[in-house]
Structures are given as structure tokens and as C-alpha cells.
Amino acid sequence: MEIFSFVKRVPSTTANVEIKDQQLDTSGCEFEINPYDRFAVEEGLRQKEAAGGGNVTAISFGDDAAQKELRTTLAMGADAALLLKNDAADSADAATTAKVIAAAIGERSFDLLLFGKQAVGHDQHGVGAGVATRLGIPCITEVISLSISDGQVTAQRGVEGALETIAASLPCAITCQKGLNEPRLASLKGIMAAKKKPLESVEVEIPALALIVESTQPPASRPAGRIVNNAAELVDALRNEAKVL
Amino acid sequence: MSSILVILETRQGELRPSCLEAVGAARVIADANGCAVVALATESANLDAAVIGAAGADQLMIAAAESHSADAAAATAARVAKEISANTVLLAATVRGRDITPRIAALLDTGFAPDCTAVDANTMVFTRPICGGKAFSNVKVNGDVVVASLRPNFFDAAGREHTAEVSEITSEVAKAQVIEVAAQSGERPDVAEASIVISGGRGMESPDNWHLLEKVADAIPGSGLGASRAIVDSGWRPHSEQVGQTGKTVSPELYIAVGISGAIQHLAGMSSSKVIVAINKDADAPIFKHATYGIVGNALEILPELAAELEK
């Protein structure tokens, strides 16, 4: 089975974000693989194993720094990596990113595309479904359980208050939610092996952005709160002051 | 007259009420720009035209589809958007809304503003949280059609007297098929949609103490139960209840954080709640800096008192 797992280099979720000149400034942030993309890499490795063969290719749309995250996926066990390189990749919104990725992989042969359900940071939840739509293949989002047999895909996902079971045929795109699997850590042996695995870099063009960020600001500051002494005072404040009960 | 298209969310033939907020937002934009509001159910459903009209829609289109497929819904929505020359397509930013939104944008070859918390009806600049709510961006779609999804609890249905004019339309063919929808046990709303959320953290000490939180939730009708990442990672509660940057972002009227210290990734997921209550034994816990009201003390002792007060 030919599997593409997509990864993005994102600011760590434990990082504080800075805003400079009304724009997000991530220059002081630690970066890491988008946590949801780790599920996509792990699932690729598991599905390849279940299928009894094939390749897992990790693909990132990013600048050269993203080679570090791609090496990490190779150390986890991916067979090859592909960098869709553009220094302005992080400025691209999800719709534009989907267009770039669909154009870049449309000619390649694959059975399964695995994405994180969102990239933390921009939080747009749109690349996987956007790529699938542009390629004309089915897509199942926010998947927490996935089985594939004889080219038939069965997946489960949680929606508000219910669990959906969805079926589709390969080739298919999946976006991965926490709960799908426990991503492995790279072993020392894996890290050594990763150095010899192929990492291809292809320059890609970015079309006109589909979403323009005009400005960015910190969250509105909250008025100072107060400490109350007990549950009775709290309930009184919620009922008569804040009027939320 | 140009139109604003709102995609209604239905499940097993019933309306999901959070999408009525998007209908209300469409009404505000329509009134500012002299447009009509068309609400579209992408599958056959039991809908009350008076409810959809009251929320702000002029017309209600119902597609004759039995399938709950997201790709068919998006294809039907994109076709209708073209047929009625929609300048804007709005959805609720639910799991389904987030699934369909990027598909509609791709089919219309335009951009989309996801998970918005505000919109300026005159400039069509949307405000949306980024980095899990650590910052907010003002964005504008660059394309012929503006597609956007709206976070639950930030917009209001119009609340007027009007019955939408109903028509039936055909639907598109599905690629992926939804073969089962199983309601999850429990009557509580999902944390992402609940107007009141009560969340527990490490200060709950053991999963065996969760009944204390449930007792409080039982005393507040319509409240949902959440948990911090530490609790979900420990396997005490399911991931569907996790609030935070790698869980759900919530913005209820009232958020009660019980035994949660307030790690940055948790704060990112709940700090846009309107009223925040913190109950924690550590007076220096970061959560108190964000709280409207705080009680310093042992959560396990305070919760039964709180339940008793709420029942009074």
C-alpha cells in the first residue's frame, strides 16, 4: 500500500505566542511536528504493516527548517520524505495549502492520504478535506478508528454527542484525531537509519492566498476576578451578579 | 438579488440547533448588504420553516438525500451556491461543519475563514482564534465567494416572526457513506456546544470522584462535562471531553474549572468563556488569573456544597 502522511512544523503547544506589529511572531517559539500529524505518521506505519507491504512517504509543505520534522518521521519509520519547499509556506491558509498539495501529488500514485485533523497554530481544519476534494477522492475527517481491507475503508469518528461509522473505497484521505493510535517515539536505531533514507526537496509555487490576515491581536483582557469564600457565595454571585444561572 | 447561503446541520433527520446561530449571523450580513438568506438542508430532515425563518432565513431548501455523506453535502451546497449566485456561504464550526467547509471552498475555488467568533457585516472581516485561542486574527477571504464557519455560542439567531419559504431540491451523489450514527450514552450536551461546562483536573484526585462533578452538572440543566489533558491522558475520561489546545476549544456562558491549575494549553481552550469559575486548593494556580470568581479550597469538599447550594 502506498501511503502519504502529511506533517507540518508548528509552534509547540506549550509555547507562549508573541504579537509584534499586529502580526504573530513565532521567532522565539520552539517548534515541533504538529501533534495530530504524529497520529498520521503512526497510522501510516500501522496500515503499511497491516497491508503486508508498501511505502510510507512523509510529506511536508514548508521551508527548509521542516527537514528536521521530516527526519523525525523517517526515524519513526517512514520510508521516504518529500519536502514541498517554499519559504512562504507558513503564510498559506488551508485552502491555498490544499491547492498546492493537490497539484504537487496529483500525478503521483497513492492509496491512502493521512493528515492531522488540524495543524495547531493556524487551526484551520481544512487541508485534508480540501486536498481530497480537489483530487476527487473520498475523505473521512477526525477519525479515531480505521480499518482497511480489500480496498474498503471503515472509519469511526466522534461528532458532538454521537459516534459515526463511515465507509469509503481507496484511494481515500483520512484526517486523524487523538485516540486513533499511540504514536511511537523514534528509537536510536531509527534515528541512525533515518540518515540514510531519501529526503527529496521540490520547489513549489504558492498561488494568490485565499485568506488574507489583516491583523492579529492578543485575546481581549478579562476584567479582574474575585475570590469568594464558599459555595453559597459563589452560587449567589452566579445567579445575581453574573446572571448565568 | 444576491444571496447568503447557510448550510443547516441535521443528524438522523433532526436539526442541530447550533446552526441557527449561523442563520442569525447571515441575517445580520444580509441586512447590511441588501441580500436574501437561503438556508439549505443537504439531506432530508424534519424541519420547521417557522423555526428556520425565525432564525433569519427567507428561504429553506431541503435536498432529497438519505445519505449523511459530507462530500455529497458539500457538492450539493456548492451547486446551490452557484445556482443562487451566493456571495457568502456560512456553516457552524462543528465537527461536520469543519468537515464540509473546506470542501465547499475547494469546489468553489475560493478561500474560507474557519472557526470565526465575530464578523463585521460591512467589511466582511472575520475574527478568529489562532494557536488555540492564544491570539485572534482578523481575516478576509480573497475569492469570489466568502465561505466561513462560525463557532457555536458566539452568534445569535435572529429571533423574529417569519416563516421561510420551502422548496425541495435534488442532491449530489456520495463518495464516502455514513453507515451508522450511534448516539453516545448520556443526555449531556457535548462540551463544544454546551452553554455551561464543568471540567475536572488533577485536583479531582481519582476517577472515582467524578460523581461529585456529575452531581453539580445534574443540578445545572444543559451543562456539559469536560476534563483537562492530564485527566484524558491518564485514561480517566474520554478524549471527547478534553478541553484545551489539543482537545476542544469551548466558549460557554459559564466555565467551571475544578481542580485544574490552568496550564497554558488548557487556558487556550477555554479563556474565551464569558464567566469563569476556578476551584483550586493552590491559591497561586494560574487559573485564578483568568477566573471571574474563585474559591481556594479542596475541590472534593467544595463540590458537594456547591451541588447542595445549586439545588436550593
Side-chain angles (χ1 to χ4, degrees):
Chain A
M1 178 141 53
E2 289 300 319
I3 301 168
F4 294 171
S5 294
F6 292 82
V7 297
K8 185 181 180 189
R9 174 181 164 88
V10 298
S12 160
T13 56
T14 57
N16 264 313
V17 303
E18 300 286 330
I19 292 158
K20 216 158 97 184
D21 301 330
Q22 296 200 331
Q23 294 297 330
L24 190 66
D25 176 12
T26 56
S27 57
C29 289
E30 294 275 323
F31 282 79
E32 61 185 12
I33 293 184
N34 174 36
Y36 295 105
D37 296 346
R38 284 188 177 272
F39 304 124
V41 175
E42 177 64 34
E43 195 60 25
L45 300 173
R46 291 184 187 204
Q47 292 297 340
K48 172 189 157 184
E49 201 172 297
N55 290 291
V56 177
T57 304
I59 303 179
S60 188
F61 171 45
D63 59 15
D64 271 328
Q67 291 198 17
K68 179 169 171 282
E69 281 66 35
L70 285 173
R71 284 285 170 209
T72 304
T73 67
L74 294 172
M76 286 172 74
D79 300 289
L82 169 63
L83 176 64
L84 304 175
K85 183 178 171 302
N86 190 301
D87 289 342
D90 195 53
S91 68
D93 55 275
T96 304
T97 299
K99 203 171 187 174
V100 169
I101 291 176
I105 67 166
E107 300 295 305
R108 295 177 187 242
S109 135
F110 59 83
D111 301 296
L112 182 64
L113 305 180
L114 294 164
F115 298 84
K117 68 133 180 158
Q118 77 185 86
V120 302
H122 293 310
D123 295 340
Q124 296 192 357
H125 308 84
V127 175
V131 170
T133 303
R134 287 190 176 274
L135 295 176
I137 63 172
C139 176
I140 309 172
T141 63
E142 305 206 23
V143 165
I144 55 171
S145 135
L146 177 68
S147 66
I148 301 174
S149 126
D150 296 333
Q152 291 301 305
V153 177
T154 309
Q156 280 191 319
R157 71 162 178 188
V159 293
E160 294 80 5
L163 200 60
E164 291 184 348
T165 306
I166 302 173
S169 314
L170 294 178
C172 173
I174 298 290
T175 81
C176 304
Q177 166 67 299
K178 187 174 180 177
L180 177 60
N181 55 46
E182 278 297 324
R184 69 194 70 185
L185 296 173
S187 65
L188 186 61
K189 199 176 149 205
I191 293 167
M192 296 307 287
K195 292 179 180 167
K196 290 183 187 146
K197 289 179 178 172
L199 195 163
E200 184 189 352
S201 180
V202 179
E203 290 274 348
V204 290
E205 298 286 321
I206 300 180
L209 297 183
L211 189 69
I212 310 295
V213 180
E214 300 206 322
S215 61
T216 296
Q217 69 270 357
S221 60
R222 302 186 67 89
R226 66 183 167 92
I227 297 293
V228 296
N229 292 307
N230 52 47
E233 278 185 32
L234 174 64
V235 172
D236 181 61
L238 293 176
R239 280 187 180 144
N240 302 315
E241 198 175 273
K243 300 190 190 322
V244 286
L245 289 180
Chain B
M1 186 162 61
S2 58
S3 302
I4 298 176
L5 180 64
V6 187
I7 311 307
L8 299 176
E9 184 170 334
T10 58
R11 186 187 297 160
Q12 294 180 305
E14 298 298 327
L15 184 72
R16 305 269 309 145
S18 60
C19 67
L20 294 178
E21 296 168 15
V23 177
R27 185 75 258 159
V28 172
I29 296 168
D31 288 345
N33 297 283
C35 305
V37 175
V38 178
L40 168 66
T42 55
E43 59 199 48
S44 52
N46 172 32
L47 295 171
D48 184 341
V51 170
I52 310 297
D58 300 304
Q59 288 182 55
L60 168 60
M61 292 185 177
I62 305 175
E66 294 310 316
S67 165
H68 192 52
S69 161
D71 55 68
T76 303
R79 190 197 78 213
V80 170
K82 284 178 191 161
E83 285 169 356
I84 66 169
S85 307
N87 54 36
T88 304
V89 182
L90 298 180
L91 301 93
T94 54
V95 172
R96 183 168 172 82
R98 285 168 169 170
D99 184 348
I100 295 173
T101 301
R103 301 179 196 245
I104 296 174
L107 291 169
L108 297 175
D109 196 22
T110 186
F112 64 97
D115 272 73
C116 301
T117 56
V119 60
D120 181 321
N122 295 308
T123 60
M124 292 305 277
V125 171
F126 290 88
T127 302
R128 60 178 307 270
I130 58 168
C131 298
K134 293 174 193 167
F136 284 74
S137 283
N138 301 310
V139 298
K140 209 164 174 174
V141 171
N142 179 28
D144 293 338
V145 186
V146 173
V147 179
S149 67
L150 309 181
R151 277 266 173 93
N153 290 336
F154 281 94
F155 300 86
D156 296 313
R160 56 177 193 163
E161 292 246 341
H162 186 83
T163 299
E165 181 193 322
V166 182
S167 55
E168 290 197 3
I169 61 162
T170 58
S171 60
E172 299 296 317
V173 177
K175 292 190 179 85
Q177 295 287 354
V178 178
I179 52 179
E180 191 189 357
V181 180
Q184 280 172 320
S185 57
E187 293 299 302
R188 290 186 218 288
D190 189 89
V191 282
E193 291 183 319
S195 59
I196 295 177
V197 173
I198 304 152
S199 286
R202 280 188 218 268
M204 292 300 293
E205 294 182 12
S206 155
D208 300 335
N209 293 325
W210 232 257
H211 68 277
L212 299 173
L213 274 186
E214 287 168 355
K215 196 99 194 287
V216 172
D218 289 342
I220 308 177
S223 59
L225 276 180
S228 69
R229 184 167 90 178
I231 297 307
V232 172
D233 285 350
S234 304
W236 294 7
R237 303 299 300 175
H239 178 250
S240 58
E241 293 182 7
Q242 186 183 322
V243 173
Q245 198 172 355
T246 51
K248 287 175 178 162
T249 304
V250 301
S251 27
E253 293 287 316
L254 172 61
Y255 186 84
I256 306 179
V258 183
I260 292 176
S261 62
I264 184 163
Q265 82 98 30
H266 187 80
L267 293 172
M270 46 60 80
S271 56
S272 59
S273 305
K274 287 167 196 82
V275 172
I276 295 173
V277 169
I279 300 172
N280 203 294
K281 62 185 171 196
D282 176 7
D284 295 326
I287 189 81
F288 284 118
K289 290 198 182 71
H290 300 263
T292 323
Y293 303 108
I295 302 182
V296 180
N298 184 337
L300 304 182
E301 289 166 15
I302 292 165
L303 284 173
E305 293 168 19
L306 183 56
E309 285 296 328
L310 286 165
E311 280 160 14
K312 273 184 192 170

